[in-house]
Amino acid sequence: MKKQDEKTKLPVLNIVVPCYNEEEVLPITSVMFENKIKELIELKKIDESSCVLFVNDGSKDTTWQIICDLAKKSPYIEGVSLSRNRGHQNALLGGLMEAKDRCDITISIDCDGQDDINAMNEMIDKYLEGFDVVYGVRSKRETDTFFKRFTAESFYKLLNMMGAEVVFNHADYRLVSKRVLDEFANFEEVNLFLRGMFPLVGFNSTSVYYERHERMAGQSHYPLSKMLSLAFDGITSLSVQPIRYITGFGILMAVLSFIGVLYTLISKFAGRTVDGWTSTTCILCFVSGVQMISLGVLGEYIGKIYMETKHRPRYIISERTYVKKKES
Ligand code: UDP
Ligand code: MG
């Protein structure tokens, strides 16, 4: 059922690569990416106008200079530069939005050579089979230190527990088709957590598995503090579940307070109390129960307002039996 003309016309691929202070690793990995494009063109999987699109995220070293030189030398390399450092997620989004009008499919990947570029062949095969989003999922984490593995896996578990739907062990190595990106452009939120947002767009998706290597050169820009802030962003931008926990806690407190009131009354009538204790404890229990529930109710409204402010599309149409007329 996949578009008929695809047999005659090959898809144009853009590999989108955010780079921040990557002068050490870029000369190594840019060759790998370029060779991959050439290989895929030779295999007749992608169109000749495919390219690698590097996004310079306001680097302070010579990264942009290197990208400009590469773009001059090779027809398969292009670059865009952000006006300042905006962080990995924003840089990636910038690259994807830039690419969506120039190609049929994008594959986003980090520039440090950690993700196995050979998984791209399978990703494109999956696209040709009819999948619009293909998640690259790490099959093993053996090259990570125990600490990185533990924190990263806890991160995915915590996200799922908090109601944010993410694909386990998938970072930002994924294939996304143009039509998904066109819909994605309608997600106007500022707090980005791309790996949790693509599942919201829907469409047919699948995963391919690959082994992740160590960084080829340079240093990670994701120390624990940045990982924690990404986790926090992920939870708070995708889900209002933490607020629900407050409501749940409020109900639990109200039940406990009711039992507390019963206990104090029984104690009073059994004559085991001093003057004033019963009334003070009863009021304390009652007020704290009411307060917690009220906080939860307020929270529910704040959660609703928060979701409203995101102006996310309420639905997305993926197929039609007829051709939609262009809006004039
Ligand atoms: N990156 C970016 N902007 C930043 C930080 C990182 O564009 O502010 C890029 C970086 O160049 C790399 C990718 O994001 O291509 C992932 O970063 P890194 O490899 O440092 O993270 P890790 O793999 O250690 O989690
Ligand atoms: Mg990395």
Side-chain angles (χ1 to χ4, degrees):
M1 274 292 285
K2 193 84 198 165
K3 294 143 252 168
Q4 292 252 305
D5 57 348
E6 229 146 54
K7 280 198 187 80
T8 47
K9 195 187 164 299
L10 295 168
V12 180
L13 166 71
N14 272 16
I15 301 178
V16 180
V17 193
C19 312
Y20 176 59
N21 293 347
E22 299 284 12
E23 62 183 5
E24 283 177 56
V25 79
L26 209 50
I28 311 170
T29 50
S30 60
V31 181
M32 290 167 41
F33 292 134
E34 190 184 356
N35 287 341
K36 192 65 188 171
I37 291 269
K38 287 184 189 158
E39 178 201 316
L40 290 167
I41 292 175
E42 256 167 44
L43 288 172
K44 301 234 174 311
K45 282 185 193 286
I46 56 171
D47 188 77
E48 280 174 9
S49 60
S50 300
C51 72
V52 187
L53 180 68
F54 287 108
V55 184
N56 172 39
D57 183 17
S59 299
K60 294 182 178 61
D61 62 4
T62 58
T63 299
W64 179 235
Q65 199 49 52
I66 297 174
I67 295 173
C68 291
D69 291 345
L70 290 168
K72 247 183 237 154
K73 279 190 221 133
S74 165
Y76 302 115
I77 294 185
E78 304 286 358
V80 288
S81 186
L82 302 192
S83 59
R84 52 159 294 173
N85 180 246
R86 294 291 299 129
H88 174 229
Q89 297 287 294
N90 286 310
L92 183 52
L93 177 73
L96 291 174
M97 289 301 119
E98 185 74 17
K100 82 178 167 57
D101 301 323
R102 305 159 28 103
C103 64
D104 304 305
I105 37 176
T106 59
I107 295 181
S108 51
I109 187 166
D110 293 351
C111 86
D112 53 13
Q114 283 191 280
D115 301 313
D116 181 9
I117 57 170
N118 293 322
M120 288 187 190
N121 300 41
E122 204 186 331
M123 284 182 171
I124 295 171
D125 290 343
K126 294 283 180 199
Y127 167 76
L128 295 173
E129 277 171 32
F131 292 99
D132 278 280
V133 183
V134 186
Y135 299 105
V137 175
R138 308 174 56 163
S139 50
K140 286 187 214 143
R141 279 189 173 266
E142 274 163 13
T143 51
D144 280 349
T145 58
F146 171 77
F147 182 70
K148 175 92 185 181
R149 188 162 60 200
F150 177 74
T151 47
E153 288 188 350
S154 313
F155 167 68
Y156 290 103
K157 284 186 190 139
L158 181 73
L159 279 173
N160 279 318
M161 219 175 79
M162 288 294 181
E165 191 191 325
V166 284
V167 178
F168 192 68
N169 267 346
H170 159 70
D172 280 305
Y173 184 21
R174 77 178 86 76
L175 177 147
V176 183
S177 72
K178 175 182 161 51
R179 68 171 182 158
V180 171
L181 288 175
D182 282 338
E183 298 297 344
F184 193 75
N186 296 326
F187 285 66
E188 294 169 4
E189 53 211 81
V190 186
N191 291 304
L192 294 179
F193 187 64
L194 297 176
R195 69 191 77 166
M197 287 164 69
F198 278 103
L200 295 178
V201 185
F203 291 94
N204 280 347
S205 67
T206 186
S207 300
V208 302
Y209 295 85
Y210 70 97
E211 279 177 37
R212 193 158 145 122
H213 313 294
E214 275 168 52
R215 215 174 210 285
M216 295 203 164
Q219 278 182 354
S220 167
H221 303 97
Y222 268 100
L224 183 65
S225 58
K226 265 203 188 171
M227 255 178 48
L228 284 177
S229 99
L230 185 71
F232 197 69
D233 260 3
I235 296 165
T236 51
S237 66
L238 287 173
S239 146
V240 289
Q241 193 66 24
I243 293 176
R244 297 261 151 79
Y245 286 135
I246 299 182
T247 316
F249 186 60
I251 293 171
L252 182 74
M253 279 294 286
V255 171
L256 289 180
S257 305
F258 181 70
I259 297 170
V261 169
L262 283 183
Y263 172 75
T264 41
L265 287 179
I266 291 167
S267 302
K268 177 166 171 66
F269 288 119
R272 281 190 271 136
T273 58
V274 288
D275 276 355
W277 180 79
T278 315
S279 53
T280 317
T281 315
C282 280
I283 291 168
L284 200 75
C285 287
F286 179 74
V287 172
S288 57
V290 168
Q291 262 181 352
M292 278 310 287
I293 289 193
S294 309
L295 265 184
V297 173
L298 278 181
E300 283 292 323
Y301 283 100
I302 293 173
K304 293 248 153 55
I305 296 168
Y306 178 58
M307 283 302 168
E308 290 284 341
T309 57
K310 286 181 183 277
H311 295 298
R312 282 181 180 160
R314 278 157 293 183
Y315 61 86
I316 292 168
I317 292 175
S318 67
E319 318 279 349
R320 286 188 175 87
T321 59
Y322 58 93
V323 180
K324 193 186 171 194
K325 279 195 196 132
K326 285 232 161 68
E327 284 155 30
S328 52

